[in-house]
């Protein structure tokens, strides 16, 4: 029998939703714990290891120097680093503030713990190399399981690259965009089975930009302008989960997420 | 000789925190600081300038484990600001997904974060080797909670179908029946949970404090009611600001909240202390059969109070679901106008407050969110400080473990606690905050 993979689940600044998504595989989690060696998981384990790891799944955004130190330490500790969830992959909601009116934050004054200082919130690949990405806020818990299984089998994890509209149409949902709602499905990476639009909610773009789409960020802005949503509204929406990606793609003119 | 204890990562809690203790040569406690080291996310600033209908989707991201709570409180506050009156069915469905979240959050804390402390295990996964039956019962209840949320709110984390005025999507009748059947099936597991948590060797640590919760006449509170403090005061939720004061501690990125200059407790134990007479029959009977009495001052009993609540809310959900025929209703439309709304609900860890001011274009001009852990933080520090003398004989490692158990009992959520207070530079609120610190 081959040796079990040594795996760690960690979080930096975030909401713990991704780590919960791992545990919320209620029927499978004990089986997972048999297949891999979960040696670190501070959220649910008292003791963690400093030994080298095969894989680390990391939730959260780099928002202060404490996060950055943790991130660098974890990167050095593991062969494979998986950025899990929107905060880690695209900056998520915490990174939205980089793209908003700085006046909004002027009165929010705060004293930090000694030695703690803010860093403008950024996805982890701004600082270290990331091997794989699991997108979404929250990430699909079955997708996390799938990636773990791929590692166990020595397979390369698959990353969905088509827009949300593909799955949404397959599910025979009425098109919310056609109904005049500000749906970001056309520019957003699918793989979520269109869970929001299945439930009547427009896509907010939580899985970041789709690489295989014909609709550009600028076209999305003009499309929604026609529907009565001004540019600020649409940009705010696009920036709610993936501001850094949209900014870079707009600057480079290339549709290459995580490049 | 003085001793210093630094616990850099408090494990088995939500989010990131550390504890700094310094105990002098005469056993005087020179320093007792529980620090949140979560990065600041400035949600209240991010909500400014956004449309009123965007608040719930964004503020949901404050917390994974209580995302439904943030959505529900946010919607309640906005509806108040815009005078939106929802249908009785909407209220029932909102209660159901909030209860689903209550079940999974409590059970996660009880079995995965707290129970290992009492059964000598390192983690819930470790526990699965020695107490598989209990762990499987826990996972079954977590799945039930998640299934309820999926049925009534579309997704288990960061729910999608709840909206201002109602719902964007409704469960099919088969789903409703399935949830009811699953609740009945899981109720014995929840009962076993109460019995298990009644039997644990809790430290006897009575510590008087103020217990604050919602209160409703004849009903265990969830999403409606007045604010109530065990000192006997009762007031409407709009008066939250008058009774509770927020301030920052220089050592933490989180906010602290005090009432009358003193720390207070919110959460399952506070709710039980203020409302145990309104528990449903089975939950009430189980409390009676245990040798634990309410009101109770021992914070180590929070997981027991949670276990009782799980039974109560399963009973209440069964009542709501029996005979429920879900109709597809169009959400009540909000008429945009300038206004202010406060929404307070009971969430797994206690009172959650969302407050918004909206202008006549529907843009949010001010947001204030006060989370349960922000309210409990000060009490946790005070409780640790008072607890230290009883564990002083232990060496640093063991002392740390004992204090960590106390912290864990509170079920803190440091992701949530990291939130910003709007500082008025005129110093009104600040001055009060520093006054209240002097009082202690």
């Amino acid at each position: 029998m081959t040796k079990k993979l040594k795996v760690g689940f960690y979080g930096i600044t975030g909401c713990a939703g991704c780590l919960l998504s791992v545990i919320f595989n209620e029927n499978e989690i004990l089986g997972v714990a048999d297949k891999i060696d979960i040696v670190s998981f501070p959220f649910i384990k008292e003791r963690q290891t400093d030994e080298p790891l095969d894989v680390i799944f990391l939730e959260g955004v780099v928002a202060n120097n404490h996060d950055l130190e943790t991130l660098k330490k974890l990167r050095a500790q593991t062969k494979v680093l998986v950025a899990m969830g929107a905060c880690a992959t695209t900056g998520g909601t915490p990174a939205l503030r980089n793209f908003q009116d700085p006046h909004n934050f002027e009165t929010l004054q705060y004293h930090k713990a000694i030695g703690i200082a803010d860093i403008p919130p950024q996805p982890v690949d701004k600082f270290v190399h990331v091997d794989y990405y699991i997108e979404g806020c929250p990430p699909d818990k079955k997708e996390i399981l799938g990636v773990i299984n791929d590692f166990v089998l020595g397979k390369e994890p698959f990353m969905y690259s088509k827009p949300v509209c593909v799955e949404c149409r397959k599910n025979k949902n009425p098109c919310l965009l056609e109904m005049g709602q500000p749906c970001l499905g056309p520019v957003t990476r699918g793989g979520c089975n269109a869970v929001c639009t299945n439930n009547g909610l427009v896509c907010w773009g939580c899985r970041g930009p789709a690489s295989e789409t014909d609709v550009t960020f600028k076209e999305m802005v003009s499309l929604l302008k026609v529907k009565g949503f001004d540019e600020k509204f649409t940009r705010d929406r696009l920036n709610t989960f993936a501001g850094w990606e949209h900014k870079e793609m707009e600057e480079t003119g290339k549709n290459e997420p995580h490049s | 000789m003085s001793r210093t204890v630094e616990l850099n990562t408090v494990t088995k809690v939500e989010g990131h925190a550390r504890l700094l203790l310094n105990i002098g040569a005469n056993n005087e406690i020179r320093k007792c600081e529980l620090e949140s080291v979560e990065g600041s996310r400035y949600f209240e600033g991010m909500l400014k300038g956004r449309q009123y209908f965007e608040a719930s989707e964004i503020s949901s991201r404050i917390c994974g484990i209580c995302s439904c709570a943030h959505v529900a409180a946010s919607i309640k506050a906005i509806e108040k600001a815009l005078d939106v009156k929802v249908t009785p069915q909407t209220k029932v469905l909102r209660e159901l997904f909030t209860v689903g979240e209550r079940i999974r959050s409590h059970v996660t804390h009880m079995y995965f974060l707290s129970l290992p402390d009492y059964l000598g295990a390192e983690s819930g996964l470790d526990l699965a080797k020695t107490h598989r039956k209990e762990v499987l019962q826990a996972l079954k209840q977590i799945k039930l909670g998640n299934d309820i949320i999926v049925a009534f709110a579309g997704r288990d984390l960061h729910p999608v179908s709840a909206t201002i005025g109602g719902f964007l999507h409704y469960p099919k009748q088969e789903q409703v029946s399935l949830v009811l059947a699953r609740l009945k099936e899981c109720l014995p597991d929840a009962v076993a949970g109460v019995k298990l948590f009644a039997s644990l060797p809790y430290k006897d640590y009575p510590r008087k404090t103020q217990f604050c919760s919602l209160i409703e006449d004849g009903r265990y509170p969830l999403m409606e009611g007045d604010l109530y403090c065990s000192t006997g005061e009762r007031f409407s939720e709009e008066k939250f600001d008058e009774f509770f004061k927020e301030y920052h501690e220089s050592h933490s990125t989180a906010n602290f909240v005090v009432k009358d200059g003193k720390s207070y407790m919110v959460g399952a134990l506070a709710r039980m202390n203020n409302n145990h007479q309104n528990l449903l029959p089975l939950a009430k009977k189980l409390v009676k059969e245990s040798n634990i009495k309410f009101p109770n001052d021992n914070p180590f009993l929070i997981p027991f109070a949670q276990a009782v609540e799980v039974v109560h809310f399963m009973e209440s959900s069964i009542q709501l679901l029996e005979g429920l025929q879900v109709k597809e209703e169009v959400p009540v439309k909000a008429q945009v106008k300038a206004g202010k709304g406060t929404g307070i609900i009971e969430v797994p860890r206690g009172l959650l407050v969302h407050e918004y001011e909206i202008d006549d274009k529907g843009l949010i001009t001010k947001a204030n969110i006060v989370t349960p852990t922000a309210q409990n933080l000060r009490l946790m520090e005070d409780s640790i400080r008072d607890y230290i003398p009883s564990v002083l004989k232990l060496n640093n490692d063991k002392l740390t473990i004992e204090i960590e158990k106390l912290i864990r009992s509170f079920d803190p959520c440091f992701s949530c606690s990291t939130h910003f207070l709007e500082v008025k530079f005129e110093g009104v609120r600040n001055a009060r905050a520093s006054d209240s610190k002097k009082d202690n």
Side-chain angles (χ1 to χ4, degrees):
Chain A
M1 199 183 138
T2 49
K3 247 178 110 190
K4 281 193 212 170
L5 289 173
K6 287 193 185 307
V7 181
F9 294 87
Y10 282 94
I12 49 176
T13 291
C15 81
C18 306
L19 296 172
L20 281 163
S21 295
V22 178
I23 307 166
F24 285 172
N25 283 297
E26 309 92 349
N27 291 342
E28 299 89 357
I29 185 68
L30 295 183
V32 169
D34 291 337
K35 265 191 268 184
I36 58 173
D37 200 0
I38 302 178
V39 282
S40 297
F41 201 154
F43 181 26
I44 57 165
K45 268 172 67 53
E46 194 160 318
R47 290 187 291 275
Q48 328 307 329
T49 187
D50 288 325
E51 302 289 308
L53 295 174
D54 295 306
V55 187
I56 283 179
F57 288 84
L58 180 71
E59 165 194 312
V61 65
V62 177
N64 64 24
N65 54 331
H66 183 261
D67 291 329
L68 188 55
E69 281 159 33
T70 308
L71 173 64
K72 286 183 175 164
K73 181 184 155 277
L74 295 176
R75 177 67 270 188
Q77 199 187 345
T78 186
K79 285 187 205 137
V80 172
L81 178 68
V82 183
M84 176 169 67
C87 289
T89 61
T90 58
T93 311
L96 165 63
R97 83 164 191 263
N98 297 299
F99 310 99
Q100 283 177 308
D101 185 349
H103 294 301
N104 284 8
F105 306 93
E106 273 174 357
T107 55
L108 299 175
Q109 186 192 284
Y110 223 68
H111 300 289
K112 302 290 169 191
I114 294 162
I116 299 279
D118 274 351
I119 291 176
Q122 289 158 77
V124 298
D125 66 3
K126 293 266 182 194
F127 302 95
V128 299
H129 172 71
V130 168
D131 299 284
Y132 299 100
Y133 298 84
I134 301 176
E135 309 282 354
C137 180
D140 183 337
K141 60 187 183 185
K142 298 293 169 221
E143 192 178 345
I144 300 172
L145 271 192
V147 173
I148 294 172
N149 278 329
D150 287 342
F151 287 141
V152 170
L153 298 171
K155 268 170 63 183
E156 192 71 8
F158 167 76
M159 206 167 168
Y160 195 93
S161 53
K162 294 186 170 66
V164 170
C165 298
V166 173
E167 286 162 302
C168 186
R169 270 192 215 125
K170 208 187 285 168
N171 294 340
K172 300 195 168 63
N173 294 323
C175 178
L176 295 170
L177 197 57
E178 277 172 18
M179 290 158 77
Q181 295 186 39
C183 187
L184 301 183
V187 292
T188 302
R189 187 193 296 271
C192 51
N193 193 31
V195 59
C196 293
T197 53
N198 294 348
N199 284 285
L201 180 72
V202 292
C203 173
W204 276 65
C206 81
R207 293 170 70 88
S211 46
E212 279 185 59
T213 177
D214 302 330
V215 185
T216 65
F217 172 64
K218 275 193 175 144
E219 282 165 345
M220 194 71 228
V221 172
S222 7
L223 198 59
L224 287 186
K225 211 175 267 176
V226 179
K227 309 276 180 193
F229 299 96
D230 63 23
E231 182 163 347
K232 180 190 174 294
F233 177 90
T234 307
R235 284 184 180 272
D236 277 348
R237 276 278 164 115
L238 285 159
N239 290 337
T240 300
F241 288 100
W244 288 111
E245 295 275 289
H246 290 301
K247 181 174 181 273
E248 272 158 33
M249 284 164 48
E250 206 172 14
E251 279 167 8
T252 60
K254 286 184 190 155
N255 194 15
E256 290 169 356
H258 304 308
S259 56
Chain B
M1 225 177 80
S2 75
R3 56 201 282 212
T4 301
V5 176
E6 286 186 27
L7 176 60
N8 283 321
T9 311
V10 182
T11 60
K12 288 187 274 176
V13 295
E14 216 238 16
H16 307 97
R18 68 187 176 201
L19 177 72
L20 302 176
L21 300 177
N22 185 274
I23 303 159
N26 299 318
N27 287 341
E28 75 281 13
I29 296 150
R30 291 180 184 158
K31 186 189 264 187
C32 171
E33 290 174 358
L34 184 62
E35 298 189 331
S36 167
V37 291
E38 283 279 330
S40 309
R41 293 181 296 165
Y42 302 81
F43 270 94
E44 286 139 325
M46 291 195 287
L47 287 162
K48 260 191 217 172
R50 300 294 294 251
Q51 280 289 336
Y52 70 95
F53 54 82
E54 298 186 287
S56 67
E57 201 59 42
I58 295 170
S59 61
S60 164
R61 268 67 191 183
I62 292 172
C63 182
I65 197 150
C66 48
S67 44
C68 294
H70 281 285
V71 166
S74 168
I75 289 174
K76 184 179 176 188
I78 299 277
E79 285 174 350
K80 279 194 154 181
L82 299 178
D83 289 328
V84 175
K85 301 273 180 286
V86 298
T87 65
Q89 175 178 284
T90 293
K91 287 187 180 174
V92 167
L93 301 184
R94 281 182 188 167
E95 242 180 66
L96 284 165
F97 77 72
T98 306
V99 165
E101 181 169 84
R102 177 73 49 96
I103 294 170
R104 69 136 184 242
S105 175
H106 277 3
V107 173
T108 302
H109 174 250
M110 286 158 51
Y111 288 83
F112 284 89
L113 310 184
S114 199
L115 189 59
D117 280 343
Y118 292 98
L119 299 182
E122 186 265 342
S123 71
L125 297 173
D126 192 20
L127 206 58
K129 293 170 197 151
T130 54
H131 294 75
R132 200 158 185 99
K133 189 179 106 197
E134 286 78 8
V135 171
L136 288 173
Q137 279 177 332
L139 287 168
K140 199 169 139 196
Q141 292 174 77
I142 291 172
K143 180 155 174 44
L144 168 73
N146 282 331
D147 288 350
I148 297 175
I149 304 168
V150 171
F152 296 101
R155 181 169 60 195
D156 49 8
L157 282 158
H158 305 307
V160 288
S161 57
T163 192
I164 294 159
F167 283 83
L168 297 167
H169 190 261
Y170 292 91
K172 294 197 173 69
Q173 201 58 38
E174 304 97 83
Q175 255 177 305
V176 176
S177 311
L178 193 66
V179 166
L180 178 58
R182 296 259 293 111
L183 270 162
K184 288 177 176 172
E185 189 196 316
C186 286
L187 190 55
D189 300 309
V191 170
V194 175
K195 290 181 179 162
L196 172 64
F197 279 82
S199 72
L200 300 179
Y202 298 107
K203 275 274 167 61
D204 184 27
Y205 177 47
R207 189 186 177 281
K208 291 251 173 290
T209 186
Q210 313 176 89
F211 297 97
C212 298
S213 71
L214 288 179
I215 195 162
E216 266 192 278
D217 295 326
R219 198 166 182 260
Y220 198 92
L222 186 62
M223 308 181 80
E224 311 270 337
D226 289 335
L227 290 162
Y228 181 77
C229 180
S230 54
T231 48
E233 296 148 280
R234 181 172 175 157
F235 39 92
S236 75
E237 63 186 344
E238 281 73 21
K239 292 193 175 159
F240 182 86
D241 285 350
E242 286 175 36
F243 283 82
F244 299 103
K245 304 294 170 208
E246 281 187 87
Y247 69 98
H248 302 297
E249 277 288 9
S250 58
H251 63 74
S252 175
T253 60
N255 271 355
F256 285 74
V257 189
V258 290
K259 182 181 173 296
D260 299 332
K262 297 192 194 84
S263 56
Y264 64 96
M265 188 193 284
V266 295
L269 185 61
R271 285 191 291 261
M272 283 285 281
N273 283 343
N274 293 344
N275 301 283
H276 60 96
Q277 63 285 357
N278 289 331
L279 286 171
L280 288 171
L282 182 55
K284 204 182 247 178
K285 180 172 154 270
L286 290 165
V287 173
K288 215 172 161 190
E289 285 168 7
S290 76
N291 48 19
I292 298 167
K293 304 241 176 317
F294 295 98
N296 199 304
D297 291 330
N298 184 359
F300 282 105
L301 291 177
I302 291 168
F304 176 73
Q306 292 178 328
V308 176
E309 281 199 341
V310 171
V311 171
H312 167 85
F313 284 110
M314 282 194 191
E315 283 182 276
S316 75
S317 306
I318 290 171
Q319 286 184 356
L320 288 175
L321 283 163
E322 294 275 15
L324 177 71
Q325 294 287 327
V326 178
K327 298 187 299 284
E328 300 238 340
E329 296 176 338
V330 178
V332 178
K333 214 171 153 34
Q335 298 298 326
V336 175
K337 61 172 181 115
K340 182 184 171 183
T342 303
I344 303 185
I345 63 170
E346 282 288 354
V347 308
R349 290 163 189 74
L351 295 167
L352 172 63
V353 185
H354 275 239
E355 273 183 321
Y356 301 98
E357 285 175 27
I358 300 167
D359 71 11
D360 55 7
K361 293 183 192 70
L363 294 173
I364 295 166
T365 54
K366 190 181 167 191
N368 184 34
I369 297 163
V370 187
T371 64
T373 299
Q375 297 171 72
N376 275 339
L377 263 182
R378 175 68 182 280
L379 177 78
M380 288 167 64
E381 270 194 7
D382 290 349
S383 301
I384 296 165
R385 193 184 294 273
D386 292 349
Y387 186 59
I388 290 171
S390 71
V391 288
L392 264 179
K393 283 195 196 114
L394 303 173
N395 67 28
N396 276 8
D397 283 354
K398 286 189 174 151
L399 179 134
T400 309
I401 289 171
E402 290 309 311
I403 293 172
E404 231 182 330
K405 282 184 192 173
L406 176 61
I407 296 171
R408 232 171 256 141
S409 288
F410 281 94
D411 192 9
C413 171
F414 289 100
S415 308
C416 265
S417 70
T418 309
H419 109 107
F420 269 61
L421 149 78
E422 181 141 14
V423 176
K424 288 184 181 140
F425 286 103
E426 309 86 71
V428 180
R429 235 167 161 179
N430 262 353
R432 280 187 193 148
S434 52
D435 283 346
S436 61
K437 267 190 274 186
K438 272 180 226 150
D439 288 344
N440 275 265

